[in-house]
Amino acid sequence: MCGIIGIVTGHTVVTGLISSLKLLEYRGYDSAGIATMQDGQVWRERAAGKLANLEKKIKDDGVREGGIGIGHTRWATHGAPTEGNAHPHIVDNVIIVHNGIIENYAELRDELLENGANMQSETDTEVIGHLISQQLKIDKNIETAVQTAIGKLTGAFALAIMIKGEENLLIGARKGCPLVVGIGDVEGHYIGSDALALSPFSRQIIYLEEGDFVFASKEDYRIFDQAGTLVTRDINHVEVQSATMDKGNHKHYMAKEFFEQPDVVQHTLAHYLNMDDNQINIDANLDIKKFDRIIIVSCGTSYYAASVAKYWLEEATNMSVEVDVASEYRYRNPPLNAKCLFIVVSQSGETADSLAALRLAKHKGATTVAIVNVSTSTMSREADFVLPTFAGIEVCVASTKAFMCQISVLATLSIALGKAIGHINADQATTMASDLAQLPRLINDAFMVEPEIKELAHDISKVEHMLFLGRNTSFPIAMEGALKLKEITYIHAEGYAAGELKHGPIALIDEKMPLIIIAPDNEVYEKTRSNIEEIAARGGDITVLTTQKRAKEIRKLGLKAIALPDCSSFLAPFIYTVPVQLLAYHTAVHMGTDVDQPRNLAKSVTVE
Ligand code: G6P
């Protein structure tokens, strides 16, 4: 994680560094810092906590401008989130910011300490500064010295570096973490973690490749590959949607984003579904008959989107569908070959483990598809086919609208593949597609449960643990509900398959254990209903999310029920996501936690 920015224009850079850091804060907010150089002087400001703390410090201390500068927003890996561990780090003449993890840092650090190095921080980054500084004493050529020193690192990194006395030289290097170079729309050069960070200054973007180094001045830039050969990389014209850092009438980005769901789902569906004739049109040449299985890999909320799709894809295609979390998948040596259709699902398109899994699948000959929200991301560029989601920029760390758009794409893909393989016929496909076309209205209607959820949230804000249960596609929604609650309220919550409860977790049930049971009126409703009775018999504090008709029956049992709009089984995961998102949100608001930037989290996880 962590976001990095570097600017060399020869003019004032501080405002630019801060505006980029605002766009990078989604990568971590444990601390932030900037450094500039001017007239032989280096100025550095760092602050623990959010960027606002750094801004305040700069205001209090006074700005010292420079024609070159680097900046960083941190998600702590090595060392506590203190000011002392905040980047930029300065070692002799080297000023450095880093995203990633240096795996051989302990050996390098021991070696440096033995040789008398004076370490100021607990970070792995400082070790890189020492290595470069030492090498510069041996080799006066900055380009070769930097390449030699960085060649000693194992692990993942994206770096921005300045050298004291070199006020027209900005250095970047990457391996395993993304780094882009921007050619200024007006002047100068920029390096940053992503195109979004450079969007205030540059539309001409170069995506550095693995092992690349860049040496940029305000007039020019040179890129070397990992073998040290001068190379030319493509310049891409990128129109990054400007991040509207605006909550509208809402108190939090999360609220703004989940209320956008009817619109962004509509927008996403419109890309894949012709609303006039209910025909699905997937713009990817996937010859489904050549595959014998489908594999979907992802992390976090995207993993739950994939888990919903497993039910749909198996039903629609009659093919075996495997779903896994990327951090496990990539190290399992999984059987993969040209008969596998491999799908990665990711909001950011940068998640380190998901990206590694995608690369593994490509390497082993699978056909790869990326379902991503950020069109300029690494996964978008590397997958064989890209199926974009159109959620727009999601600012809140806890994902809501991106999830809805992911399942929208996966639903259309299920119909398209099912029809192509012949397991569902044209009429069935059209019926399913016309069902999907109802989604924006139904999602909108689902928000009508907000007053009841608000009341429930009041009670939930007092508990320490709770359970979410569901069967079939409601099982992943139960897990997503539990994840949302954990992320933004810090209440311990778990999502279970309702039928699995009796194999252990039922021991937790007593009158102090609240349970949300997701029970749309579908083919497994009666089974879930039996589970509800089992829990009621043990005194569990149950709230059932179900239909109007079923809610009446449940209330007759003396249990709480909240009624959602009637919908088909196919659409249930969309509709039942709304109340679990609302519950997490209103509980967090009651508790006064930081809804948009919860503790310890980051939106884009670029370390494994
Ligand atoms: C982080 C975020 C989650 C997200 C997960 C996967 O943990 O906090 O909200 O679901 O990463 O991210 P991706 O960008 O790959 O969907």
Side-chain angles (χ1 to χ4, degrees):
M1 286 103 108
C2 304
I4 66 178
I5 173 71
I7 304 179
V8 56
T9 58
H11 300 302
T12 51
V13 296
V14 172
T15 311
L17 291 173
I18 298 291
S19 40
S20 266
L21 289 181
K22 282 188 181 147
L23 297 172
L24 287 168
E25 217 182 2
Y26 73 91
R27 289 172 161 259
Y29 33 81
D30 285 335
S31 65
I34 60 169
T36 60
M37 291 200 297
Q38 187 104 307
D39 303 330
Q41 298 295 311
V42 175
W43 174 66
R44 173 177 69 171
E45 280 284 13
R46 300 181 293 173
K50 296 196 179 164
L51 186 57
N53 298 352
L54 176 70
E55 287 185 278
K56 180 169 184 307
K57 212 162 160 223
I58 293 174
K59 208 169 156 215
D60 294 347
D61 295 351
V63 178
R64 296 250 304 277
E65 273 297 351
I68 181 168
I70 57 178
H72 188 265
T73 175
R74 179 169 189 242
W75 186 83
T77 58
H78 294 70
T82 57
E83 184 178 324
N85 286 330
H87 301 214
H89 291 281
I90 303 182
V91 181
D92 304 327
N93 288 338
V94 181
I95 308 134
I96 184 167
V97 292
H98 167 215
N99 160 216
I101 293 180
I102 304 305
E103 285 169 0
N104 59 340
Y105 116 100
E107 299 139 58
L108 292 170
R109 188 180 161 98
D110 288 350
E111 230 172 84
L112 287 162
L113 287 171
E114 261 169 44
N115 295 333
N118 176 15
M119 294 283 173
Q120 307 283 323
S121 76
E122 303 155 297
T123 64
D124 50 348
T125 309
E126 196 186 345
V127 165
I128 314 173
H130 278 279
L131 290 178
I132 298 173
S133 160
Q134 276 189 353
Q135 195 62 32
L136 282 169
K137 287 177 191 143
I138 304 165
D139 181 354
K140 298 289 171 227
N141 180 320
I142 294 177
E143 290 185 356
T144 52
V146 168
Q147 291 179 60
T148 308
I150 291 176
K152 295 181 182 157
L153 306 175
T154 58
F157 52 82
L159 304 167
I161 304 161
M162 301 190 295
I163 308 288
K164 264 184 216 169
E166 299 290 336
E167 294 180 9
N168 192 19
L169 176 63
L170 176 64
I171 305 169
R174 74 152 288 205
K175 193 177 147 216
C177 293
L179 194 67
V180 304
V181 178
I183 300 164
D185 293 339
V186 180
E187 60 184 349
H189 289 98
Y190 301 80
I191 55 182
S193 296
D194 59 25
L196 176 65
L198 305 194
S199 60
F201 333 103
S202 168
R203 263 139 214 81
Q204 310 264 87
I205 298 289
I206 298 156
Y207 296 99
L208 292 181
E209 292 184 10
E210 281 296 280
D212 278 356
F213 292 84
V214 59
F215 297 88
S217 65
K218 54 186 196 263
E219 300 85 8
D220 206 359
Y221 66 90
R222 290 162 18 107
I223 298 174
F224 295 87
D225 67 10
Q226 55 192 334
T229 310
L230 189 63
V231 288
T232 309
R233 300 277 181 238
D234 292 347
I235 299 173
N236 302 270
H237 185 86
V238 173
E239 281 301 335
V240 177
Q241 190 187 345
S242 65
T244 41
M245 305 307 264
D246 164 22
K247 296 178 193 147
N249 295 329
H250 301 279
K251 216 168 141 198
H252 300 101
Y253 283 108
M254 185 178 186
K256 174 180 177 249
E257 289 166 2
F258 61 57
F259 282 118
E260 281 170 8
Q261 290 178 131
D263 289 343
V264 294
V265 165
Q266 167 102 43
H267 194 36
T268 301
L269 286 175
H271 191 78
Y272 299 99
L273 169 64
N274 183 339
M275 302 281 181
D276 295 332
D277 59 6
N278 291 319
Q279 294 307 304
I280 303 277
N281 180 22
I282 298 283
D283 188 19
N285 188 14
L286 298 172
D287 180 7
I288 185 69
K289 291 188 179 141
K290 80 175 196 204
F291 303 116
D292 64 7
R293 88 205 141 92
I294 300 172
I295 300 159
I296 322 179
V297 172
S298 41
C299 300
T301 289
S302 301
Y303 169 69
Y304 297 133
S307 305
V308 170
K310 177 181 167 74
Y311 292 85
W312 289 335
L313 280 163
E314 281 183 350
E315 174 120 21
T317 64
N318 196 32
M319 283 171 76
S320 162
V321 180
E322 196 184 308
V323 176
D324 209 341
V325 284
S327 54
E328 287 302 312
Y329 188 80
R330 62 180 291 194
Y331 291 117
R332 271 205 290 111
N333 199 13
L336 268 161
N337 53 39
K339 289 189 153 190
C340 300
L341 175 61
F342 179 95
I343 304 172
V344 64
V345 184
S346 174
Q347 188 284 127
S348 63
E350 299 292 351
T351 304
D353 287 318
S354 302
L355 181 59
L358 168 67
R359 288 177 176 161
L360 176 72
K362 262 190 104 164
H363 177 70
K364 291 200 172 187
T367 295
T368 58
V369 176
I371 297 179
V372 280
N373 196 42
V374 180
S375 60
T376 51
S377 63
T378 311
M379 287 182 216
S380 292
R381 282 177 283 117
E382 295 195 8
D384 297 323
F385 299 101
V386 182
L387 302 179
T389 52
F390 295 90
I393 292 172
E394 195 178 54
V395 177
C396 177
V397 167
S399 181
T400 53
K401 61 175 182 169
F403 172 82
M404 271 307 190
C405 291
Q406 289 167 344
I407 57 175
S408 302
V409 174
L410 286 159
T412 54
L413 183 66
S414 304
I415 302 172
L417 295 182
K419 192 174 160 198
I421 207 167
H423 192 64
I424 54 176
N425 62 34
D427 286 349
Q428 286 168 313
T430 308
T431 309
M432 289 169 84
S434 64
D435 219 9
L436 283 181
Q438 308 305 312
L439 268 177
R441 176 181 57 79
L442 286 169
I443 295 171
N444 201 35
D445 291 353
F447 279 105
M448 278 153 68
V449 297
E450 193 176 16
E452 287 167 90
I453 296 280
K454 249 181 169 170
E455 226 172 274
L456 177 64
H458 196 67
D459 297 339
I460 298 297
S461 64
K462 297 185 194 112
V463 308
E464 284 179 14
H465 308 277
M466 74 173 293
L467 295 174
F468 289 75
L469 305 181
R471 280 175 181 263
N472 197 274
T473 50
S474 301
F475 169 36
I477 303 304
M479 292 193 284
E480 170 60 5
L483 179 67
K484 251 354 32 115
L485 195 83
K486 275 186 275 211
E487 281 180 306
I488 64 169
T489 70
Y490 321 139
I491 292 172
H492 173 227
E494 297 300 334
Y496 272 100
E500 184 64 13
L501 195 75
K502 57 176 80 66
H503 299 293
I506 202 163
L508 297 169
I509 306 291
D510 63 16
E511 61 290 347
K512 289 201 281 306
M513 175 61 84
L515 297 104
I516 298 290
I517 304 179
I518 303 170
D521 195 357
N522 57 15
E523 20 323 291
V524 290
Y525 175 78
E526 292 302 340
K527 306 287 168 201
T528 311
R529 162 91 192 234
S530 307
N531 300 132
I532 294 170
E533 305 264 8
E534 288 156 12
I535 300 159
R538 287 160 179 84
D541 175 11
I542 298 171
T543 304
V544 183
L545 305 179
T546 186
T547 58
Q548 197 78 45
K549 179 176 147 221
R550 298 298 188 181
K552 276 191 197 144
E553 292 169 15
I554 297 289
R555 289 185 194 120
K556 279 189 195 144
L557 298 175
L559 303 174
K560 287 175 275 182
I562 294 178
L564 276 299
D566 285 347
C567 64
S568 66
S569 310
F570 185 36
L571 300 192
F574 295 91
I575 309 310
Y576 286 76
T577 294
V578 171
V580 299
Q581 290 174 343
L582 284 169
L583 180 64
Y585 176 70
H586 285 295
T587 309
V589 171
H590 269 304
M591 295 173 76
T593 54
D594 190 337
V595 171
D596 289 328
Q597 293 186 325
R599 70 183 183 204
N600 303 339
L601 301 182
K603 186 144 192 76
S604 177
V605 180
T606 55
V607 294
E608 57 176 293

